[in-house]
Amino acid sequence: MASKATNKLIKLGWIGAGGINFGSLEGPWNHAVRMQKQNNVQFTAVVDPNVTAAQKRIEQYQQGPYAKKWEGCQAFKDHQSMLQSAAKPEGVIIGVPPAVHGSLDIAAKAMEVDIAKAGLHMLVEKPISMRPAEEVERLAQVLDQVADEKSLIIAVGYMLRSSPAVVAAKRLMQEIGVTPASIVGRYSCPYNNIAKPQWWDTQKSGGCIVEQATHFVDLMRYLSGGDIIQESIQAVAVGPDMALKEMPAHPQAEHLVPMERRNNRATMATFKMTTGAIACLSHTLLLHGSDFFSAMDITGDGYHIIIHDPYQNPSLQVRRPFTNHYEQVHLNLDQDMYENQFDGWLEAIRTGNKDAVKCHYHDAAQTYKASWDITEASGAAPPGTDP
C-alpha cells in the first residue's frame, strides 16, 4: 500500500497559457492534458499577461473529463499576483517564451528566483533562458542554494531523457559496460509550417541550436556521462542568406526579421566530451511537411546503438560485440515521455527523492551553456541579451 507521502495532494499552477502548457496545432506539446491525468493533483492558478486567455483555458478544462481538478482555479496576470494570493500553489510548471524569464541580473526576468524564494517547486521548460550562459550558471547556483534551504525540486523539461528509446539505450550502455567513443546526432526540422515570426527571430527564440537542437546537445551529455569541452567546439553553418522557397506567407516567418537575427539553414558542430568521446551535431532547417527527422548514433568498442525519432515514433537498434547483426530492441511504447517526466517530478516533491528527476536545473544550465557555445562557434548571433 502506498504511503500518505506518496499519495499527498499537490496544488499546482501554470505559468503561461500558451501552446507548451495547453497545446497548439504544432507539435505534441500539451502539458495540461497530461498533468491532469496524474493522481492527487489540484490546479489553483494559470498565469499569463493575457488574463482573458488564461481564464479561457481554465474554463475549457473545467468542462473536460478532469473538471474537479480545475475547480476554483484562478487566472492571474503575473506570477507576483499569484504568489500573494490564497491560490498560491505548491509547485508551478513554467512554459513561457525564454526571453521573459531565466535571469539573475534583471529583476523583471528573475521569475525563477522569485518563485523559489516563495517556496514553490518548479518544472521549467527549455530554453531555460536567453541570458548569457555565465549569468545562467550563476542563476543555477542561486536556485540550488534556495532549493537546499527550502527542500525544493527544480526540474527542467528535457523530456527526451524519458523517451522509451533513450531509457533503453541508457540501460543497454550500462549492460554492455563500454564507454562511448563517438556520438553523432542528426536533427532536421521542416520549416514551411512554422508560422510564428518570433520563432524565426533568434533574439526572441534563441535560434535553432538553443531552441531546438539543445535537446540533442542534452542527450549527448546525458548518454556520454560527460560534458562538452568548450575549447574543442568547432562549427560551420549555412547562413540565412540561403533563400528558402516554401516560407510561410508574409509576415508569418522571417520577412520582417533583420538578416543578422535570422536562423541558420544548416549547422554542423564537432566537439569532444570530458569522457574522451568525440561528438558531431547536425541541425538543418530545410525539410518540407510536418514530420521532423531525428536520430543518434552511439558507438563504442564492439557496439553500435542507433536511436531513431525519440520524439514521436521511437525505435532502437543495437549491434552487440562479436556480431554483425543489428537487433531491433523492444520498447514499451505505452510510456509517454512527458508523463514519465511528470511522474518523476511529482514523486520527488512527495518523497524528497531527487533521483526521481532526470534533469535538475543546474544540469540543464550546463546544456544551455553548451548550446550557447555551439551557436557562437557557428558564427550565428547568440540569444538576445538586451534587457
Side-chain angles (χ1 to χ4, degrees), residues 24 47 70 80 90 118 124 127 129 147 190 200-201 207 236 247 256 258 263 273 327 335:
S24 68
V47 175
W70 296 85
Q80 292 95 338
E90 298 166 75
V124 185
S129 184
W200 291 92
D201 187 339
V236 291
M247 276 283 185
L256 303 180
N263 284 303
M273 313 297 295
E327 166 193 341
Q335 294 289 316

Side-chain angles (χ1 to χ4, degrees), residues 115-129:
I115 292 171
K117 287 183 175 179
L120 276 65
H121 307 282
M122 283 178 271
L123 175 59
V124 185
E125 261 305 325
K126 47 61 58 187
I128 58 173
S129 184

Side-chain angles (χ1 to χ4, degrees), residues 89-105:
E90 298 166 75
V92 292
I93 299 92
I94 299 177
V96 294
V100 303
H101 70 111
S103 178
L104 184 64
D105 298 339

Side-chain angles (χ1 to χ4, degrees), residues 228-260:
I228 294 171
I229 300 173
Q230 180 181 3
E231 295 76 16
S232 72
I233 299 172
Q234 296 187 17
V236 291
V238 176
D241 52 334
M242 174 188 171
L244 297 177
K245 298 178 181 179
E246 300 299 326
M247 276 283 185
H250 183 283
Q252 296 303 312
E254 65 182 17
H255 310 87
L256 303 180
V257 178
M259 181 67 73
E260 67 273 13

